[in-house]
Amino acid sequence: MTDQEKILNEVTGSDYKFGFQTNIDTETIPKGLNEEVVRIISAKKEEPEWLTESRLKAFRHWQTLHMPDWAHLKIPEIDYQDIIYYAAPKQEAKYESMDEVDPELLDTFNRLGIPLEEQKQLAGVAVDAVMDSVSVKTTFQDILADKGIIFCSFSDAVKNHSDLIKKYMGSVVPYTDNYFAALNSAVFSDGSFCYIPKGVRCPMELSTYFRINAANTGQFERTLIVAEEDSYVSYLEGCTAPIRDENQLHAAIVEIVAMENAEVKYSTVQNWYPGNKEGKGGIYNFVTKRGICKGDNSKISWTQVETGSAVTWKYPSCILKGDNSVGEFYSVAVTNNYQQADTGTKMIHIGKNTRSTIISKGISAGKSQNSYRGLVKVLKGAENARNYSQCDSLLLGDKCGAHTFPYLEVNNRSAVVEHEATTSKIGEDQIFYCNQRGIDTENAISLIVNGYAKEVLNKLPMEFAVEAQKLLAITLEGSVG
Amino acid sequence: MLEIKDLKVNIEDKEILKGINLSVKAGEVHAIMGPNGSGKSTLASALAGRNYFNITHGKIIYEGKDLTELTPEDRAREGIFLGFQYPVEIPGVSMVNFLRTAINSMRKYRGQEPLPAGDFLKLMREKKKIVEIDSDLTNRSVNEGFSGGEKKKNEIFQMALLEPRLAILDETDSGLDIDALRIVSNGVNKLRSPENATIIITHYQRLLDYIVPDVVHVLYKGRIVKSGDKSLAKELEEHGYDWIKHEVDAHA
Ligand SMILES: Nc1ncnc2c1ncn2[C@@H]1O[C@H](COP(=O)(O)OP(=O)(O)OP(=O)(O)O)[C@@H](O)[C@H]1O
Ligand SMILES: [Mg+2]
């Protein structure tokens, strides 16, 4: 077989490989949520008994809960009975050619520098069988398989690695954790599973693959990453391209387990549809992300660039259980027009000599509201725990809001906890200075904002840092002057 | 090159410039002096296009164009450079990135390709020599944590790099030590040519020993009340502004 044939084979055979069957392709179930619906979802996915039971338990618990209202967010009432909880992954393309796609969307793709083939996938245009990203994806999987790394959809993992899923799913974010975690645990659609065996350094960013796949994971996404002793992985979720979705409500769970000496770097670029300039439409994004540094000397590092969604409710957290373990949170959250974001982190120090760093950069423009909410908790046994938090807010214009809610609970006298916060306005002076050097106002804002967020952007994998910079500029377009 | 005719400028309904007339020809250096608060920086900013300034009357013609119709960035691209009295800090934005963006914006305006990174760095190195600026400074964020004198030197460095046709230097000499003053003046002199013009705003005649002006103007209460050659600066140094103030206020 020639290379080309091989690839063709891979691609045409991949429907089967990924377990999508034609008979569920066209199926959706009626609106609403009850035990029956939960059972149907589980049955459609051919899940084992224990998982069906676990979903039902979560559902029953969810019924006893109320939507949290402590966040600095104004959320219209959500009718949970008006949502379809199962829609089979759609394989057909929405459009025949790029000519049919919204030109504004294409313009954004181009300005972000996204390759054409990938643009097609993201926009839902039919693609040729021989496609760069697909061939990349397959060679990619060979390399991973060689190292014993498991990286597959959550559904596949349930089928093929049931023991691992059973052992770790819900071990970091139990279904009892909060309202949205309970909901997700009952009805999660799909997501990713990643397992790095002992002593293995994952040789590449797990990103290209995921970017392509992100489009089909559904509204209740579930991700689980397990890094065994002495392993390392850098993982990137989401993409800079604007993603539209008919589903307004998104409630994802991400769990990370890091064993002794393991390191997990998790980077997110989130750019869901934020709604129009008047604040209509847009995704509600309620995410529970948490990692546990289970073993000594382990490290979990969250980096996020949040520019999308109408409402963001998200607190990637670290439980620092192992001695000498390290938790990091680097965040840029941008809100424009009527967007609202309440985001931050929790660092729970349990082990001795545990260290955590929080760098949060909020940018508010338009009539948006942007809040940082962070908890640093040092338990009794956490001798010599250290935390450094820096929370900066940048305001563009005077109709937006920035808020900081730091919470501290320190139960060990040897702990050292530092917190710094600043609020600044993007200065007319700075913009005029740039103008006077020939730089127009849009570019000036882009320069200034990227400079402000540099500490965080530097933490992103290289190829995404460049896109993220452009993304910040595009998100803030027209917000000053 | 520059023709200012009866220019009146308001800031928040207060008239700051009350009818400025000034004509600058290519190849000339003009010095503007005057007491604090007389409107020197306001005039400089009005030329550069600061937007909260309200031009209520008069005209600014630059190279035959009505300057007031151009945005600040287009004025810069047309060759107007303002050396700021108080240069602004832009945290996190490296000098290299800032200047590269600036140069390429200007090149784009002129229909030129962006300058390749290698050429740009070479150009930076050359121009750094002119103002004897520390390499370390250009690796830092724009003006962030620069000393007062370093900020001023940095303005001249940028001027050298951007090669303006009309440079307006607003108290670039304030806060410079003696050596820096010499370096900065040398820099300005090197950039002097028959095609370019410079307007120097200063309080000290000492600078004018280094950069010899063709004309010296005195700005007082929003008007140019006296113009002369460089001996006027000497006179001011010796006698202060009182005699001029008396002259003007007696007429008013
Ligand atoms: N943004 C502003 N808002 C209100 N008043 C202003 C503003 N800028 C300048 N002024 C006023 O305009 C007048 C002229 O100020 P300007 O800065 O032009 O003086 P100057 O001649 O440059 O003084 P100096 O020698 O102290 O630099 C002053 O009375 C000043 O207070
Ligand atoms: Mg001044």
Side-chain angles (χ1 to χ4, degrees):
Chain A
M1 257 198 303
T2 65
D3 272 359
Q4 184 138 351
E5 281 169 330
K6 254 189 228 155
I7 293 165
L8 264 171
N9 245 1
E10 290 265 17
V11 174
T12 43
S14 66
D15 273 5
Y16 175 72
K17 196 163 92 192
F18 289 100
F20 295 138
Q21 271 155 33
T22 39
N23 63 338
I24 58 168
D25 246 27
T26 51
E27 263 182 274
T28 52
I29 58 175
K31 279 180 187 172
L33 187 53
N34 51 46
E35 288 210 2
E36 187 55 21
V37 167
V38 175
R39 278 183 207 282
I40 293 174
I41 294 172
S42 192
K44 295 257 183 220
K45 297 172 90 62
E46 298 170 24
E47 287 175 350
E49 180 76 29
W50 69 264
L51 190 49
T52 315
E53 281 311 312
S54 140
R55 283 180 183 271
L56 285 169
K57 232 198 273 169
F59 173 70
R60 287 173 199 138
H61 182 68
W62 178 74
Q63 284 183 303
T64 69
L65 301 174
H66 296 282
M67 194 158 141
D69 59 3
W70 43 260
H72 192 85
L73 301 168
K74 279 196 190 118
I75 308 167
E77 184 120 24
I78 298 171
D79 182 355
Y80 290 89
Q81 296 304 332
D82 194 36
I83 293 171
I84 297 171
Y85 288 87
Y86 181 85
K90 284 197 194 91
Q91 294 289 300
E92 332 92 78
K94 273 189 278 186
Y95 309 105
E96 277 308 308
S97 83
M98 288 294 259
D99 301 341
E100 297 166 39
V101 179
D102 179 4
E104 204 180 308
L105 190 66
L106 293 184
D107 181 51
T108 311
F109 283 160
N110 284 328
R111 282 193 292 167
L112 288 167
I114 293 169
L116 184 69
E117 288 302 334
E118 228 172 280
Q119 291 190 16
K120 287 185 180 171
Q121 279 248 314
L122 292 165
V125 173
V127 284
D128 305 333
V130 185
M131 199 190 86
D132 265 2
S133 45
V134 175
S135 51
V136 166
K137 191 166 82 187
T138 38
T139 35
F140 203 72
Q141 293 235 310
D142 291 344
I143 297 171
L144 295 181
D146 248 20
K147 300 238 172 206
I149 296 170
I150 304 169
F151 185 34
C152 61
S153 74
F154 205 87
S155 312
D156 282 356
V158 168
K159 289 199 179 82
N160 304 326
H161 309 283
S162 184
D163 47 335
L164 285 172
I165 298 292
K166 199 167 173 180
K167 183 168 171 192
Y168 290 110
M169 184 184 137
S171 72
V172 193
V173 181
Y175 68 89
T176 48
D177 193 79
N178 67 70
Y179 186 81
F180 299 109
L183 179 65
N184 177 292
S185 301
V187 300
F188 67 86
S189 30
D190 208 337
S192 298
F193 174 63
C194 174
Y195 178 84
I196 316 290
K198 190 173 166 179
V200 171
R201 277 186 75 86
C202 184
M204 57 191 73
E205 309 274 351
L206 294 185
S207 57
T208 323
Y209 171 90
F210 196 74
R211 177 144 102 171
I212 297 298
N213 275 358
N216 277 327
T217 43
Q219 61 186 130
F220 302 103
E221 199 175 325
R222 182 121 206 166
T223 302
L224 173 60
I225 298 172
V226 179
E228 291 285 9
E229 279 171 40
D230 298 305
S231 68
Y232 167 83
V233 64
S234 166
Y235 189 93
L236 192 121
E237 168 212 322
C239 72
T240 50
I243 299 181
R244 285 174 189 261
D245 193 311
E246 290 116 57
N247 303 309
Q248 234 191 346
L249 175 67
H250 280 247
I253 290 182
V254 177
E255 296 177 281
I256 298 176
V257 180
M259 299 304 197
E260 201 174 325
N261 288 320
E263 179 177 349
V264 178
K265 242 184 105 163
Y266 191 105
S267 315
T268 310
V269 174
Q270 184 268 119
N271 192 18
W272 294 102
Y273 182 54
N276 67 11
K277 292 209 164 57
E278 284 75 48
K280 288 242 163 56
I283 305 280
Y284 302 157
N285 194 22
F286 304 105
V287 192
T288 308
K289 289 184 163 178
R290 191 174 305 145
I292 181 165
C293 286
K294 221 171 176 171
D296 294 350
N297 310 312
S298 55
K299 178 174 174 184
I300 293 176
S301 165
W302 299 100
T303 304
Q304 61 175 23
V305 175
E306 302 281 323
T307 60
S309 298
V311 177
T312 302
W313 182 100
K314 184 181 201 179
Y315 316 91
S317 305
C318 299
I319 301 170
L320 303 171
K321 186 156 177 281
D323 291 347
N324 313 313
S325 61
V326 176
E328 294 176 336
F329 174 74
Y330 300 100
S331 169
V332 179
V334 186
T335 51
N336 198 357
N337 298 317
Y338 285 87
Q339 280 178 279
Q340 309 175 65
D342 193 299
T343 183
T345 185
K346 289 184 205 168
M347 294 290 176
I348 316 291
H349 293 257
I350 301 174
K352 296 188 181 66
N353 303 314
T354 45
R355 278 170 296 145
S356 62
T357 304
I358 299 171
I359 309 280
S360 162
K361 302 270 182 178
I363 302 167
S364 341
K367 300 196 168 114
S368 68
Q369 296 292 328
N370 201 328
S371 306
Y372 166 81
R373 186 182 304 277
L375 168 69
V376 175
K377 187 169 180 172
V378 179
L379 274 71
K380 260 212 181 77
E383 284 296 318
N384 293 316
R386 296 278 179 278
N387 162 267
Y388 174 73
S389 304
Q390 184 191 327
C391 304
D392 298 330
S393 309
L394 183 68
L395 300 168
L396 283 78
D398 49 17
K399 295 196 178 64
C400 50
H403 317 273
T404 313
F405 305 98
Y407 305 91
L408 269 183
E409 290 175 31
V410 179
N411 298 309
N412 184 306
R413 286 166 153 261
S414 65
V416 179
V417 175
E418 280 175 83
H419 180 88
E420 283 176 27
T422 66
T423 300
S424 47
K425 272 189 119 165
I426 200 162
E428 287 291 332
D429 287 357
Q430 290 173 324
I431 293 174
F432 182 67
Y433 193 77
C434 293
N435 286 160
Q436 215 303 304
R437 299 305 185 243
I439 302 167
D440 62 35
T441 300
E442 297 282 349
N443 280 319
I445 290 172
S446 164
L447 266 180
I448 295 164
V449 165
N450 277 300
Y452 163 79
K454 192 153 93 180
E455 271 172 283
V456 176
L457 296 175
N458 281 347
K459 298 287 172 186
L460 284 177
M462 187 56 192
E463 72 257 45
F464 289 98
V466 175
E467 279 184 27
Q469 280 180 19
K470 294 183 195 159
L471 177 61
L472 290 191
I474 292 172
T475 310
L476 292 170
E477 241 165 45
S479 52
V480 167
Chain B
M1 173 179 269
L2 180 71
E3 203 70 50
I4 303 174
K5 285 183 197 147
D6 203 20
L7 181 70
K8 296 181 181 171
V9 170
N10 279 12
I11 299 176
E12 289 163 2
D13 294 336
K14 191 179 159 216
E15 190 164 74
I16 307 289
L17 298 183
K18 301 173 179 165
I20 301 273
N21 288 292
L22 181 67
S23 166
V24 178
K25 292 191 193 65
E28 288 182 344
V29 173
H30 287 235
I32 297 179
M33 305 180 79
N36 294 135
S38 59
K40 302 180 296 295
S41 294
T42 305
L43 175 61
S45 302
L47 291 174
R50 187 112 224 203
N51 60 9
Y52 57 76
F53 286 42
N54 201 353
I55 297 183
T56 54
H57 185 82
K59 274 207 164 76
I60 312 173
I61 307 295
Y62 166 76
E63 305 267 348
K65 290 185 197 81
D66 182 353
L67 211 53
T68 54
E69 287 179 358
L70 297 182
T71 60
E73 57 269 27
D74 280 349
R75 296 182 197 201
R77 293 161 182 170
E78 289 286 347
I80 293 182
F81 177 90
L82 172 60
F84 284 75
Q85 183 174 4
Y86 305 108
V88 180
E89 302 192 0
I90 311 181
V93 177
S94 71
M95 279 302 297
V96 174
N97 190 13
F98 176 72
L99 286 173
R100 209 167 151 214
T101 311
I103 277 212
N104 286 334
S105 305
M106 294 196 178
R107 289 177 69 91
K108 192 172 168 195
Y109 184 77
R110 293 187 223 116
Q112 294 168 314
E113 290 292 306
L115 202 61
D119 294 2
F120 173 72
L121 291 175
K122 209 173 121 206
L123 187 68
M124 285 250 304
R125 242 176 285 133
E126 264 167 40
K127 301 297 182 182
K128 266 196 284 204
K129 275 190 212 134
I130 294 184
V131 283
E132 301 178 27
I133 196 169
D134 239 326
S135 261
D136 174 54
L137 283 185
T138 54
N139 291 331
R140 282 162 50 183
S141 297
V142 179
N143 292 321
E144 197 185 22
F146 286 25
S147 75
E150 286 168 344
K151 282 183 183 168
K152 296 301 175 77
K153 265 193 185 181
N154 190 25
E155 294 293 290
I156 299 303
F157 166 60
Q158 294 178 50
M159 174 176 108
L161 201 76
L162 298 173
E163 299 180 328
R165 300 214 45 209
L166 174 65
I168 304 151
L169 305 178
D170 192 356
E171 297 199 23
T172 305
D173 55 332
S174 306
L176 290 181
D177 65 40
I178 309 218
D179 289 335
L181 185 67
R182 184 181 40 79
I183 293 165
V184 162
S185 313
N186 280 344
V188 173
N189 284 331
K190 269 184 207 156
L191 299 167
R192 249 173 120 160
S193 85
E195 289 85 47
N196 299 345
T198 313
I199 297 174
I200 294 175
I201 296 170
T202 182
H203 285 296
Y204 306 105
Q205 100 89 22
R206 197 179 53 187
L207 175 73
L208 305 178
D209 284 341
Y210 292 102
I211 311 171
V212 182
D214 298 292
V215 193
V216 175
H217 308 275
V218 177
L219 189 66
Y220 175 54
K221 288 190 176 168
R223 285 192 185 90
I224 290 180
V225 292
K226 206 167 191 65
S227 300
D229 62 13
K230 69 179 167 111
S231 64
L232 176 58
K234 281 233 158 58
E235 229 170 307
L236 291 172
E237 180 97 344
E238 274 161 36
H239 307 294
Y241 289 110
D242 275 357
W243 60 282
I244 293 185
K245 288 184 185 171
H246 282 307
E247 254 179 54
V248 174
D249 294 340
H251 277 108

